[in-house]
Each structure stands twice: as C-alpha cells, then as structure tokens.
Amino acid sequence: MSVVEIVDHPLIQHKISLLRDRRTGTKEFRDMVSEVSTLLCYEATRDLPLEEVEVETPIALARTKVLAGRKLALVPILRAGLGMVDGMLNLIPAAKVGHIGLYRNEETLEPVEYYCKLPKDIAEREVIVLDPMLATGSSAADAITMIKQRGAKHIKFIGLIAAPEGMKVLHAAHPDVDIYVAALDEKLNEKGYIVPGLGDAGDRIFGTK
Ligand code: URA
C-alpha cells in the first residue's frame, strides 16, 4: 500500500502560510521552500532501512543503528523543483541529483522531454521526485513514467501544495508511488493555478516576476 500523506506539522503549516503570503519576497520565499523541503524530507525518509552497528562511546560499547545504505536520488522537475533540492540535501547529502524537464505537445498531448539527465544507476536507487506544486498532476505523472522507463522501481513524490485534481491524477497513474505534500488546497482555477495556492512557484523562487 502506498502512502498519501499531508504532512501537517505545525512548523510546516506556519512556513506554508508565509509562502502563501504575496508580500513574502524572493529571498525569504526561497529560504522557506528549502526549510519546508527539509521537514518533508524528514517525514518521507521515515521508512529508510537501518542496520545494527557497534560503536564505542566514551563510556561503553553501544549496539546502535545506522542507515543501511540504500542509495537515494533526487529528481527535481524543472524549473520550480530546483528550489527544493538544497533543503532535501541538508538531510541526505549523499543523494545523487538528476533533472527532468518536460512540456506537453499541444496537438498530440503527448509529454515531450526537453531535458533528462539521471544518475546512471537510477534503477538501483530510491528516487524522490520534487515539484512544489502538484496542480493538474500531469507533469509529475509524466516525469515518473519517464523515470520508470529508465528502470527505477522505488519512487516517491514530494511537493509543497497539491490540488485535489493533481493528487487524483498522480495516484491513479502511479498507485505504487508514495506522495508527501505539506497542504492539500481547494481546487485548480481555469488557468491551472492552485487555489488559494501561492502563485507561480518558479517565479517566486527565482524572482522572475
Ligand atoms: N504551478 C505553480 O507554480 N503554481 C500553481 O498554482 C500551479 C502550477
């Protein structure tokens, strides 16, 4: 059974409120996206396997646990997903980072990949796909299809804010993928923006508006 979790820790709710505020400037917005990503990473890595080791403390020998070395890969969806990478790497610094960029051909409606560079051993890695806004869900679903086509079997998705429509589309397309978001909003508007959302995440992270 896959996980679909709205991670509503008070610290996350507080920071999401600041992200939503139109008065929040680029630097603060970028820093906050990183912080929320770190907190979501903490939750999404709860099931990482551990192994027992012995370490010598200054007092005695301790039987204790360390990560069992499952290899991780982060794959931000261009461009807004980039804003989440540093916050994730705060907790999992050894993760490799791939990138995927896609758009939809307006005539055929087929997803077209304009950039895809993934770690060579992606098939052996636990992959975490990043996109702050799970709006229609089609980019996330298409990106995950492409990552699966390259052999990845264990995939999670982390976003900041989801629309119910996006959640439904992503979960239906990839029922095996665990989904972690910080908030589930009301709906999408006619322009594809999440309501109330936070506006265009890419523009707000990169200061392009
Ligand atoms: N992408 C965004 O950046 N914001 C939305 O509300 C929807 C998609």
Side-chain angles (χ1 to χ4, degrees), residues 77 100 102 104 111 113 129-131 133-149 155-157 165-177 179:
I77 299 178
I100 192 159
L102 36 88
R104 200 168 276 267
E113 196 181 279
V129 176
L130 306 172
D131 196 352
M133 307 304 274
L134 184 57
T136 62
S138 59
S139 313
D142 294 343
I144 289 171
T145 300
M146 288 167 181
I147 293 165
K148 282 183 176 173
Q149 281 165 355
I155 303 178
K156 297 182 181 195
F157 174 87
E165 296 89 333
M167 276 286 207
K168 215 167 134 192
V169 165
L170 180 56
H171 187 61
H174 298 290
D176 56 309
V177 169
I179 303 173

PDB file of all heavy atoms in Angstrom, residues 77 100 102 104 111 113 129-131 133-149 155-157 165-177 179:
ATOM      1  N   ILE A  77      11.708  18.367 -10.881  1.00  0.00           N
ATOM      2  CA  ILE A  77      11.121  18.673 -12.180  1.00  0.00           C
ATOM      3  C   ILE A  77      11.402  20.151 -12.449  1.00  0.00           C
ATOM      4  O   ILE A  77      11.077  21.018 -11.626  1.00  0.00           O
ATOM      5  CB  ILE A  77       9.603  18.381 -12.183  1.00  0.00           C
ATOM      6  CG1 ILE A  77       9.353  16.892 -11.886  1.00  0.00           C
ATOM      7  CG2 ILE A  77       8.989  18.771 -13.527  1.00  0.00           C
ATOM      8  CD1 ILE A  77       7.880  16.499 -11.808  1.00  0.00           C
ATOM      9  N   ILE A 100      14.830  16.624 -14.664  1.00  0.00           N
ATOM     10  CA  ILE A 100      13.924  16.304 -15.766  1.00  0.00           C
ATOM     11  C   ILE A 100      13.100  17.547 -16.114  1.00  0.00           C
ATOM     12  O   ILE A 100      12.616  18.256 -15.222  1.00  0.00           O
ATOM     13  CB  ILE A 100      13.057  15.064 -15.418  1.00  0.00           C
ATOM     14  CG1 ILE A 100      12.319  14.543 -16.643  1.00  0.00           C
ATOM     15  CG2 ILE A 100      12.084  15.324 -14.296  1.00  0.00           C
ATOM     16  CD1 ILE A 100      11.893  13.095 -16.509  1.00  0.00           C
ATOM     17  N   LEU A 102      10.030  18.783 -18.900  1.00  0.00           N
ATOM     18  CA  LEU A 102       9.117  18.332 -19.949  1.00  0.00           C
ATOM     19  C   LEU A 102       8.016  19.341 -20.200  1.00  0.00           C
ATOM     20  O   LEU A 102       7.743  20.208 -19.369  1.00  0.00           O
ATOM     21  CB  LEU A 102       8.516  16.958 -19.612  1.00  0.00           C
ATOM     22  CG  LEU A 102       8.194  16.632 -18.167  1.00  0.00           C
ATOM     23  CD1 LEU A 102       6.804  17.092 -17.832  1.00  0.00           C
ATOM     24  CD2 LEU A 102       8.290  15.132 -17.962  1.00  0.00           C
ATOM     25  N   ARG A 104       4.105  19.558 -22.684  1.00  0.00           N
ATOM     26  CA  ARG A 104       3.151  18.726 -23.397  1.00  0.00           C
ATOM     27  C   ARG A 104       2.952  19.275 -24.813  1.00  0.00           C
ATOM     28  O   ARG A 104       2.701  20.466 -24.974  1.00  0.00           O
ATOM     29  CB  ARG A 104       1.819  18.734 -22.620  1.00  0.00           C
ATOM     30  CG  ARG A 104       0.916  17.581 -22.950  1.00  0.00           C
ATOM     31  CD  ARG A 104      -0.207  17.511 -21.941  1.00  0.00           C
ATOM     32  NE  ARG A 104       0.221  16.787 -20.760  1.00  0.00           N
ATOM     33  CZ  ARG A 104       0.030  15.479 -20.591  1.00  0.00           C
ATOM     34  NH1 ARG A 104      -0.583  14.788 -21.510  1.00  0.00           N
ATOM     35  NH2 ARG A 104       0.443  14.882 -19.501  1.00  0.00           N
ATOM     36  N   PRO A 111       3.544  13.936 -23.637  1.00  0.00           N
ATOM     37  CA  PRO A 111       4.619  14.650 -22.945  1.00  0.00           C
ATOM     38  C   PRO A 111       5.900  14.602 -23.772  1.00  0.00           C
ATOM     39  O   PRO A 111       6.233  13.567 -24.354  1.00  0.00           O
ATOM     40  CB  PRO A 111       4.794  13.843 -21.651  1.00  0.00           C
ATOM     41  CG  PRO A 111       4.223  12.502 -21.930  1.00  0.00           C
ATOM     42  CD  PRO A 111       3.166  12.680 -22.969  1.00  0.00           C
ATOM     43  N   GLU A 113       9.933  15.356 -23.543  1.00  0.00           N
ATOM     44  CA  GLU A 113      11.015  15.596 -22.607  1.00  0.00           C
ATOM     45  C   GLU A 113      12.007  16.542 -23.272  1.00  0.00           C
ATOM     46  O   GLU A 113      12.492  16.234 -24.352  1.00  0.00           O
ATOM     47  CB  GLU A 113      11.642  14.220 -22.428  1.00  0.00           C
ATOM     48  CG  GLU A 113      12.532  14.019 -21.299  1.00  0.00           C
ATOM     49  CD  GLU A 113      13.025  12.580 -21.387  1.00  0.00           C
ATOM     50  OE1 GLU A 113      12.281  11.684 -20.964  1.00  0.00           O
ATOM     51  OE2 GLU A 113      14.127  12.389 -21.904  1.00  0.00           O
ATOM     52  N   VAL A 129      11.070  12.343  -6.425  1.00  0.00           N
ATOM     53  CA  VAL A 129      10.755  13.348  -7.441  1.00  0.00           C
ATOM     54  C   VAL A 129      10.218  14.589  -6.731  1.00  0.00           C
ATOM     55  O   VAL A 129       9.384  14.475  -5.814  1.00  0.00           O
ATOM     56  CB  VAL A 129       9.702  12.787  -8.432  1.00  0.00           C
ATOM     57  CG1 VAL A 129       9.275  13.851  -9.446  1.00  0.00           C
ATOM     58  CG2 VAL A 129      10.282  11.565  -9.159  1.00  0.00           C
ATOM     59  N   LEU A 130      10.707  15.760  -7.152  1.00  0.00           N
ATOM     60  CA  LEU A 130      10.372  17.010  -6.456  1.00  0.00           C
ATOM     61  C   LEU A 130       9.674  17.999  -7.382  1.00  0.00           C
ATOM     62  O   LEU A 130      10.168  18.279  -8.480  1.00  0.00           O
ATOM     63  CB  LEU A 130      11.664  17.669  -5.949  1.00  0.00           C
ATOM     64  CG  LEU A 130      12.575  16.807  -5.071  1.00  0.00           C
ATOM     65  CD1 LEU A 130      13.892  17.543  -4.829  1.00  0.00           C
ATOM     66  CD2 LEU A 130      11.887  16.480  -3.746  1.00  0.00           C
ATOM     67  N   ASP A 131       8.561  18.507  -6.948  1.00  0.00           N
ATOM     68  CA  ASP A 131       7.886  19.608  -7.643  1.00  0.00           C
ATOM     69  C   ASP A 131       7.010  20.296  -6.604  1.00  0.00           C
ATOM     70  O   ASP A 131       6.166  19.641  -5.994  1.00  0.00           O
ATOM     71  CB  ASP A 131       7.028  19.076  -8.803  1.00  0.00           C
ATOM     72  CG  ASP A 131       6.629  20.189  -9.774  1.00  0.00           C
ATOM     73  OD1 ASP A 131       6.883  21.371  -9.477  1.00  0.00           O
ATOM     74  OD2 ASP A 131       6.058  19.873 -10.830  1.00  0.00           O
ATOM     75  N   MET A 133       4.479  22.350  -6.711  1.00  0.00           N
ATOM     76  CA  MET A 133       3.038  22.475  -6.916  1.00  0.00           C
ATOM     77  C   MET A 133       2.504  21.269  -7.680  1.00  0.00           C
ATOM     78  O   MET A 133       2.843  21.062  -8.853  1.00  0.00           O
ATOM     79  CB  MET A 133       2.733  23.760  -7.691  1.00  0.00           C
ATOM     80  CG  MET A 133       3.327  25.010  -7.087  1.00  0.00           C
ATOM     81  SD  MET A 133       2.846  25.304  -5.384  1.00  0.00           S
ATOM     82  CE  MET A 133       1.306  26.169  -5.639  1.00  0.00           C
ATOM     83  N   LEU A 134       1.676  20.463  -7.027  1.00  0.00           N
ATOM     84  CA  LEU A 134       1.040  19.329  -7.712  1.00  0.00           C
ATOM     85  C   LEU A 134      -0.319  19.838  -8.188  1.00  0.00           C
ATOM     86  O   LEU A 134      -1.313  19.757  -7.479  1.00  0.00           O
ATOM     87  CB  LEU A 134       0.907  18.148  -6.739  1.00  0.00           C
ATOM     88  CG  LEU A 134       0.341  16.853  -7.314  1.00  0.00           C
ATOM     89  CD1 LEU A 134       1.156  16.348  -8.488  1.00  0.00           C
ATOM     90  CD2 LEU A 134       0.279  15.778  -6.234  1.00  0.00           C
ATOM     91  N   ALA A 135      -0.323  20.424  -9.384  1.00  0.00           N
ATOM     92  CA  ALA A 135      -1.520  21.126  -9.868  1.00  0.00           C
ATOM     93  C   ALA A 135      -2.423  20.171 -10.660  1.00  0.00           C
ATOM     94  O   ALA A 135      -3.284  19.525 -10.081  1.00  0.00           O
ATOM     95  CB  ALA A 135      -1.086  22.349 -10.673  1.00  0.00           C
ATOM     96  N   THR A 136      -2.205  20.042 -11.983  1.00  0.00           N
ATOM     97  CA  THR A 136      -3.017  19.056 -12.735  1.00  0.00           C
ATOM     98  C   THR A 136      -2.497  17.644 -12.475  1.00  0.00           C
ATOM     99  O   THR A 136      -3.207  16.668 -12.710  1.00  0.00           O
ATOM    100  CB  THR A 136      -2.913  19.300 -14.259  1.00  0.00           C
ATOM    101  OG1 THR A 136      -1.543  19.127 -14.653  1.00  0.00           O
ATOM    102  CG2 THR A 136      -3.365  20.695 -14.634  1.00  0.00           C
ATOM    103  N   GLY A 137      -1.262  17.546 -12.048  1.00  0.00           N
ATOM    104  CA  GLY A 137      -0.653  16.230 -11.801  1.00  0.00           C
ATOM    105  C   GLY A 137      -0.012  15.641 -13.050  1.00  0.00           C
ATOM    106  O   GLY A 137       0.666  14.620 -12.965  1.00  0.00           O
ATOM    107  N   SER A 138      -0.206  16.293 -14.210  1.00  0.00           N
ATOM    108  CA  SER A 138       0.281  15.637 -15.427  1.00  0.00           C
ATOM    109  C   SER A 138       1.808  15.676 -15.544  1.00  0.00           C
ATOM    110  O   SER A 138       2.397  14.681 -15.960  1.00  0.00           O
ATOM    111  CB  SER A 138      -0.412  16.191 -16.672  1.00  0.00           C
ATOM    112  OG  SER A 138      -0.164  17.555 -16.753  1.00  0.00           O
ATOM    113  N   SER A 139       2.458  16.775 -15.148  1.00  0.00           N
ATOM    114  CA  SER A 139       3.935  16.783 -15.242  1.00  0.00           C
ATOM    115  C   SER A 139       4.530  15.740 -14.316  1.00  0.00           C
ATOM    116  O   SER A 139       5.450  15.016 -14.705  1.00  0.00           O
ATOM    117  CB  SER A 139       4.539  18.125 -14.835  1.00  0.00           C
ATOM    118  OG  SER A 139       3.889  19.169 -15.424  1.00  0.00           O
ATOM    119  N   ALA A 140       4.010  15.675 -13.097  1.00  0.00           N
ATOM    120  CA  ALA A 140       4.553  14.709 -12.135  1.00  0.00           C
ATOM    121  C   ALA A 140       4.328  13.288 -12.655  1.00  0.00           C
ATOM    122  O   ALA A 140       5.240  12.456 -12.633  1.00  0.00           O
ATOM    123  CB  ALA A 140       3.905  14.897 -10.768  1.00  0.00           C
ATOM    124  N   ALA A 141       3.120  13.008 -13.148  1.00  0.00           N
ATOM    125  CA  ALA A 141       2.819  11.655 -13.635  1.00  0.00           C
ATOM    126  C   ALA A 141       3.703  11.321 -14.842  1.00  0.00           C
ATOM    127  O   ALA A 141       4.259  10.221 -14.918  1.00  0.00           O
ATOM    128  CB  ALA A 141       1.339  11.550 -13.999  1.00  0.00           C
ATOM    129  N   ASP A 142       3.871  12.291 -15.766  1.00  0.00           N
ATOM    130  CA  ASP A 142       4.698  12.032 -16.955  1.00  0.00           C
ATOM    131  C   ASP A 142       6.167  11.851 -16.569  1.00  0.00           C
ATOM    132  O   ASP A 142       6.859  10.984 -17.101  1.00  0.00           O
ATOM    133  CB  ASP A 142       4.577  13.192 -17.957  1.00  0.00           C
ATOM    134  CG  ASP A 142       3.176  13.295 -18.549  1.00  0.00           C
ATOM    135  OD1 ASP A 142       2.412  12.313 -18.451  1.00  0.00           O
ATOM    136  OD2 ASP A 142       2.845  14.360 -19.107  1.00  0.00           O
ATOM    137  N   ALA A 143       6.641  12.702 -15.654  1.00  0.00           N
ATOM    138  CA  ALA A 143       8.047  12.599 -15.238  1.00  0.00           C
ATOM    139  C   ALA A 143       8.296  11.227 -14.604  1.00  0.00           C
ATOM    140  O   ALA A 143       9.303  10.569 -14.891  1.00  0.00           O
ATOM    141  CB  ALA A 143       8.384  13.708 -14.244  1.00  0.00           C
ATOM    142  N   ILE A 144       7.375  10.780 -13.789  1.00  0.00           N
ATOM    143  CA  ILE A 144       7.562   9.489 -13.116  1.00  0.00           C
ATOM    144  C   ILE A 144       7.509   8.350 -14.141  1.00  0.00           C
ATOM    145  O   ILE A 144       8.283   7.392 -14.058  1.00  0.00           O
ATOM    146  CB  ILE A 144       6.540   9.332 -11.967  1.00  0.00           C
ATOM    147  CG1 ILE A 144       6.935  10.307 -10.838  1.00  0.00           C
ATOM    148  CG2 ILE A 144       6.477   7.896 -11.465  1.00  0.00           C
ATOM    149  CD1 ILE A 144       5.924  10.447  -9.714  1.00  0.00           C
ATOM    150  N   THR A 145       6.629   8.473 -15.136  1.00  0.00           N
ATOM    151  CA  THR A 145       6.610   7.455 -16.206  1.00  0.00           C
ATOM    152  C   THR A 145       7.979   7.376 -16.874  1.00  0.00           C
ATOM    153  O   THR A 145       8.521   6.283 -17.105  1.00  0.00           O
ATOM    154  CB  THR A 145       5.535   7.822 -17.268  1.00  0.00           C
ATOM    155  OG1 THR A 145       4.274   7.858 -16.615  1.00  0.00           O
ATOM    156  CG2 THR A 145       5.499   6.829 -18.418  1.00  0.00           C
ATOM    157  N   MET A 146       8.574   8.546 -17.154  1.00  0.00           N
ATOM    158  CA  MET A 146       9.882   8.564 -17.832  1.00  0.00           C
ATOM    159  C   MET A 146      10.983   7.986 -16.946  1.00  0.00           C
ATOM    160  O   MET A 146      11.890   7.312 -17.425  1.00  0.00           O
ATOM    161  CB  MET A 146      10.221   9.987 -18.258  1.00  0.00           C
ATOM    162  CG  MET A 146       9.338  10.408 -19.420  1.00  0.00           C
ATOM    163  SD  MET A 146       9.429  12.167 -19.720  1.00  0.00           S
ATOM    164  CE  MET A 146       8.290  12.279 -21.093  1.00  0.00           C
ATOM    165  N   ILE A 147      10.889   8.267 -15.657  1.00  0.00           N
ATOM    166  CA  ILE A 147      11.906   7.743 -14.731  1.00  0.00           C
ATOM    167  C   ILE A 147      11.747   6.216 -14.616  1.00  0.00           C
ATOM    168  O   ILE A 147      12.726   5.473 -14.587  1.00  0.00           O
ATOM    169  CB  ILE A 147      11.788   8.451 -13.363  1.00  0.00           C
ATOM    170  CG1 ILE A 147      12.166   9.930 -13.529  1.00  0.00           C
ATOM    171  CG2 ILE A 147      12.662   7.790 -12.319  1.00  0.00           C
ATOM    172  CD1 ILE A 147      11.755  10.808 -12.351  1.00  0.00           C
ATOM    173  N   LYS A 148      10.505   5.743 -14.612  1.00  0.00           N
ATOM    174  CA  LYS A 148      10.278   4.288 -14.577  1.00  0.00           C
ATOM    175  C   LYS A 148      10.796   3.629 -15.858  1.00  0.00           C
ATOM    176  O   LYS A 148      11.339   2.532 -15.819  1.00  0.00           O
ATOM    177  CB  LYS A 148       8.781   3.986 -14.419  1.00  0.00           C
ATOM    178  CG  LYS A 148       8.257   4.168 -12.999  1.00  0.00           C
ATOM    179  CD  LYS A 148       6.797   3.776 -12.929  1.00  0.00           C
ATOM    180  CE  LYS A 148       6.268   3.849 -11.497  1.00  0.00           C
ATOM    181  NZ  LYS A 148       4.805   3.639 -11.449  1.00  0.00           N
ATOM    182  N   GLN A 149      10.615   4.322 -17.003  1.00  0.00           N
ATOM    183  CA  GLN A 149      11.101   3.755 -18.270  1.00  0.00           C
ATOM    184  C   GLN A 149      12.616   3.555 -18.238  1.00  0.00           C
ATOM    185  O   GLN A 149      13.151   2.734 -18.958  1.00  0.00           O
ATOM    186  CB  GLN A 149      10.738   4.672 -19.448  1.00  0.00           C
ATOM    187  CG  GLN A 149       9.286   4.506 -19.868  1.00  0.00           C
ATOM    188  CD  GLN A 149       8.805   5.649 -20.777  1.00  0.00           C
ATOM    189  OE1 GLN A 149       9.532   6.627 -21.027  1.00  0.00           O
ATOM    190  NE2 GLN A 149       7.579   5.538 -21.246  1.00  0.00           N
ATOM    191  N   ILE A 155       9.881   4.780  -6.122  1.00  0.00           N
ATOM    192  CA  ILE A 155       9.774   6.223  -6.362  1.00  0.00           C
ATOM    193  C   ILE A 155       8.821   6.865  -5.361  1.00  0.00           C
ATOM    194  O   ILE A 155       7.767   6.306  -5.053  1.00  0.00           O
ATOM    195  CB  ILE A 155       9.278   6.496  -7.808  1.00  0.00           C
ATOM    196  CG1 ILE A 155      10.218   5.828  -8.824  1.00  0.00           C
ATOM    197  CG2 ILE A 155       9.176   7.990  -8.078  1.00  0.00           C
ATOM    198  CD1 ILE A 155       9.798   5.987 -10.280  1.00  0.00           C
ATOM    199  N   LYS A 156       9.229   8.031  -4.851  1.00  0.00           N
ATOM    200  CA  LYS A 156       8.349   8.851  -4.014  1.00  0.00           C
ATOM    201  C   LYS A 156       8.210  10.215  -4.670  1.00  0.00           C
ATOM    202  O   LYS A 156       9.102  10.629  -5.409  1.00  0.00           O
ATOM    203  CB  LYS A 156       8.935   9.039  -2.620  1.00  0.00           C
ATOM    204  CG  LYS A 156       9.073   7.733  -1.856  1.00  0.00           C
ATOM    205  CD  LYS A 156       9.611   7.943  -0.472  1.00  0.00           C
ATOM    206  CE  LYS A 156       9.732   6.566   0.172  1.00  0.00           C
ATOM    207  NZ  LYS A 156       9.900   6.597   1.589  1.00  0.00           N
ATOM    208  N   PHE A 157       7.123  10.897  -4.337  1.00  0.00           N
ATOM    209  CA  PHE A 157       6.942  12.261  -4.831  1.00  0.00           C
ATOM    210  C   PHE A 157       6.809  13.184  -3.626  1.00  0.00           C
ATOM    211  O   PHE A 157       6.039  12.892  -2.690  1.00  0.00           O
ATOM    212  CB  PHE A 157       5.672  12.364  -5.702  1.00  0.00           C
ATOM    213  CG  PHE A 157       5.372  13.779  -6.109  1.00  0.00           C
ATOM    214  CD1 PHE A 157       5.940  14.317  -7.255  1.00  0.00           C
ATOM    215  CD2 PHE A 157       4.562  14.599  -5.326  1.00  0.00           C
ATOM    216  CE1 PHE A 157       5.705  15.639  -7.617  1.00  0.00           C
ATOM    217  CE2 PHE A 157       4.316  15.924  -5.676  1.00  0.00           C
ATOM    218  CZ  PHE A 157       4.891  16.440  -6.834  1.00  0.00           C
ATOM    219  N   GLU A 165      -7.259  17.633  -7.704  1.00  0.00           N
ATOM    220  CA  GLU A 165      -7.180  17.083  -9.067  1.00  0.00           C
ATOM    221  C   GLU A 165      -5.809  16.434  -9.310  1.00  0.00           C
ATOM    222  O   GLU A 165      -5.715  15.341  -9.888  1.00  0.00           O
ATOM    223  CB  GLU A 165      -7.377  18.201 -10.105  1.00  0.00           C
ATOM    224  CG  GLU A 165      -8.751  18.861 -10.087  1.00  0.00           C
ATOM    225  CD  GLU A 165      -8.860  20.068  -9.141  1.00  0.00           C
ATOM    226  OE1 GLU A 165      -8.118  20.122  -8.138  1.00  0.00           O
ATOM    227  OE2 GLU A 165      -9.690  20.947  -9.406  1.00  0.00           O
ATOM    228  N   GLY A 166      -4.756  17.119  -8.884  1.00  0.00           N
ATOM    229  CA  GLY A 166      -3.389  16.627  -9.103  1.00  0.00           C
ATOM    230  C   GLY A 166      -3.114  15.357  -8.316  1.00  0.00           C
ATOM    231  O   GLY A 166      -2.483  14.421  -8.810  1.00  0.00           O
ATOM    232  N   MET A 167      -3.576  15.348  -7.082  1.00  0.00           N
ATOM    233  CA  MET A 167      -3.413  14.157  -6.226  1.00  0.00           C
ATOM    234  C   MET A 167      -4.038  12.948  -6.902  1.00  0.00           C
ATOM    235  O   MET A 167      -3.465  11.865  -6.939  1.00  0.00           O
ATOM    236  CB  MET A 167      -4.156  14.354  -4.903  1.00  0.00           C
ATOM    237  CG  MET A 167      -3.390  15.089  -3.878  1.00  0.00           C
ATOM    238  SD  MET A 167      -2.121  13.993  -3.223  1.00  0.00           S
ATOM    239  CE  MET A 167      -1.943  14.699  -1.616  1.00  0.00           C
ATOM    240  N   LYS A 168      -5.266  13.174  -7.411  1.00  0.00           N
ATOM    241  CA  LYS A 168      -6.027  12.084  -8.015  1.00  0.00           C
ATOM    242  C   LYS A 168      -5.323  11.551  -9.268  1.00  0.00           C
ATOM    243  O   LYS A 168      -5.153  10.340  -9.429  1.00  0.00           O
ATOM    244  CB  LYS A 168      -7.420  12.614  -8.398  1.00  0.00           C
ATOM    245  CG  LYS A 168      -8.514  11.604  -8.237  1.00  0.00           C
ATOM    246  CD  LYS A 168      -9.854  12.274  -8.317  1.00  0.00           C
ATOM    247  CE  LYS A 168     -10.754  11.453  -9.234  1.00  0.00           C
ATOM    248  NZ  LYS A 168     -11.961  12.121  -9.602  1.00  0.00           N
ATOM    249  N   VAL A 169      -4.890  12.478 -10.113  1.00  0.00           N
ATOM    250  CA  VAL A 169      -4.230  12.079 -11.371  1.00  0.00           C
ATOM    251  C   VAL A 169      -2.931  11.318 -11.073  1.00  0.00           C
ATOM    252  O   VAL A 169      -2.674  10.247 -11.639  1.00  0.00           O
ATOM    253  CB  VAL A 169      -3.951  13.329 -12.255  1.00  0.00           C
ATOM    254  CG1 VAL A 169      -2.958  13.036 -13.363  1.00  0.00           C
ATOM    255  CG2 VAL A 169      -5.265  13.845 -12.836  1.00  0.00           C
ATOM    256  N   LEU A 170      -2.123  11.855 -10.154  1.00  0.00           N
ATOM    257  CA  LEU A 170      -0.834  11.215  -9.871  1.00  0.00           C
ATOM    258  C   LEU A 170      -1.040   9.842  -9.236  1.00  0.00           C
ATOM    259  O   LEU A 170      -0.390   8.861  -9.614  1.00  0.00           O
ATOM    260  CB  LEU A 170       0.011  12.122  -8.961  1.00  0.00           C
ATOM    261  CG  LEU A 170       1.382  11.569  -8.577  1.00  0.00           C
ATOM    262  CD1 LEU A 170       2.205  11.216  -9.818  1.00  0.00           C
ATOM    263  CD2 LEU A 170       2.157  12.572  -7.721  1.00  0.00           C
ATOM    264  N   HIS A 171      -1.962   9.772  -8.285  1.00  0.00           N
ATOM    265  CA  HIS A 171      -2.183   8.496  -7.594  1.00  0.00           C
ATOM    266  C   HIS A 171      -2.767   7.452  -8.549  1.00  0.00           C
ATOM    267  O   HIS A 171      -2.393   6.277  -8.502  1.00  0.00           O
ATOM    268  CB  HIS A 171      -3.098   8.709  -6.385  1.00  0.00           C
ATOM    269  CG  HIS A 171      -3.238   7.484  -5.547  1.00  0.00           C
ATOM    270  ND1 HIS A 171      -2.161   6.877  -4.927  1.00  0.00           N
ATOM    271  CD2 HIS A 171      -4.310   6.719  -5.254  1.00  0.00           C
ATOM    272  CE1 HIS A 171      -2.570   5.799  -4.287  1.00  0.00           C
ATOM    273  NE2 HIS A 171      -3.869   5.680  -4.473  1.00  0.00           N
ATOM    274  N   ALA A 172      -3.651   7.905  -9.465  1.00  0.00           N
ATOM    275  CA  ALA A 172      -4.247   6.955 -10.420  1.00  0.00           C
ATOM    276  C   ALA A 172      -3.189   6.458 -11.406  1.00  0.00           C
ATOM    277  O   ALA A 172      -3.154   5.273 -11.755  1.00  0.00           O
ATOM    278  CB  ALA A 172      -5.400   7.622 -11.162  1.00  0.00           C
ATOM    279  N   ALA A 173      -2.308   7.363 -11.843  1.00  0.00           N
ATOM    280  CA  ALA A 173      -1.292   6.970 -12.832  1.00  0.00           C
ATOM    281  C   ALA A 173      -0.216   6.083 -12.199  1.00  0.00           C
ATOM    282  O   ALA A 173       0.319   5.183 -12.844  1.00  0.00           O
ATOM    283  CB  ALA A 173      -0.652   8.211 -13.441  1.00  0.00           C
ATOM    284  N   HIS A 174       0.101   6.348 -10.928  1.00  0.00           N
ATOM    285  CA  HIS A 174       1.206   5.629 -10.274  1.00  0.00           C
ATOM    286  C   HIS A 174       0.805   5.242  -8.849  1.00  0.00           C
ATOM    287  O   HIS A 174       1.291   5.851  -7.875  1.00  0.00           O
ATOM    288  CB  HIS A 174       2.468   6.511 -10.249  1.00  0.00           C
ATOM    289  CG  HIS A 174       2.958   6.866 -11.610  1.00  0.00           C
ATOM    290  ND1 HIS A 174       3.542   5.945 -12.460  1.00  0.00           N
ATOM    291  CD2 HIS A 174       2.923   8.036 -12.302  1.00  0.00           C
ATOM    292  CE1 HIS A 174       3.863   6.542 -13.605  1.00  0.00           C
ATOM    293  NE2 HIS A 174       3.492   7.804 -13.530  1.00  0.00           N
ATOM    294  N   PRO A 175      -0.067   4.268  -8.710  1.00  0.00           N
ATOM    295  CA  PRO A 175      -0.548   3.912  -7.364  1.00  0.00           C
ATOM    296  C   PRO A 175       0.555   3.373  -6.437  1.00  0.00           C
ATOM    297  O   PRO A 175       0.368   3.311  -5.224  1.00  0.00           O
ATOM    298  CB  PRO A 175      -1.607   2.830  -7.632  1.00  0.00           C
ATOM    299  CG  PRO A 175      -1.471   2.444  -9.055  1.00  0.00           C
ATOM    300  CD  PRO A 175      -0.727   3.502  -9.775  1.00  0.00           C
ATOM    301  N   ASP A 176       1.698   3.008  -7.017  1.00  0.00           N
ATOM    302  CA  ASP A 176       2.822   2.496  -6.220  1.00  0.00           C
ATOM    303  C   ASP A 176       3.680   3.620  -5.642  1.00  0.00           C
ATOM    304  O   ASP A 176       4.589   3.352  -4.855  1.00  0.00           O
ATOM    305  CB  ASP A 176       3.709   1.614  -7.113  1.00  0.00           C
ATOM    306  CG  ASP A 176       4.195   2.375  -8.352  1.00  0.00           C
ATOM    307  OD1 ASP A 176       3.344   2.983  -9.050  1.00  0.00           O
ATOM    308  OD2 ASP A 176       5.411   2.406  -8.602  1.00  0.00           O
ATOM    309  N   VAL A 177       3.439   4.856  -6.045  1.00  0.00           N
ATOM    310  CA  VAL A 177       4.311   5.968  -5.632  1.00  0.00           C
ATOM    311  C   VAL A 177       3.761   6.638  -4.366  1.00  0.00           C
ATOM    312  O   VAL A 177       2.595   7.042  -4.327  1.00  0.00           O
ATOM    313  CB  VAL A 177       4.426   6.997  -6.789  1.00  0.00           C
ATOM    314  CG1 VAL A 177       5.095   8.285  -6.335  1.00  0.00           C
ATOM    315  CG2 VAL A 177       5.201   6.384  -7.952  1.00  0.00           C
ATOM    316  N   ILE A 179       3.185   9.633  -1.904  1.00  0.00           N
ATOM    317  CA  ILE A 179       3.071  11.082  -2.144  1.00  0.00           C
ATOM    318  C   ILE A 179       3.076  11.817  -0.797  1.00  0.00           C
ATOM    319  O   ILE A 179       2.278  11.488   0.090  1.00  0.00           O
ATOM    320  CB  ILE A 179       1.749  11.413  -2.880  1.00  0.00           C
ATOM    321  CG1 ILE A 179       1.646  10.632  -4.199  1.00  0.00           C
ATOM    322  CG2 ILE A 179       1.624  12.919  -3.138  1.00  0.00           C
ATOM    323  CD1 ILE A 179       0.285  10.779  -4.899  1.00  0.00           C
TER     324      ILE A 179
END
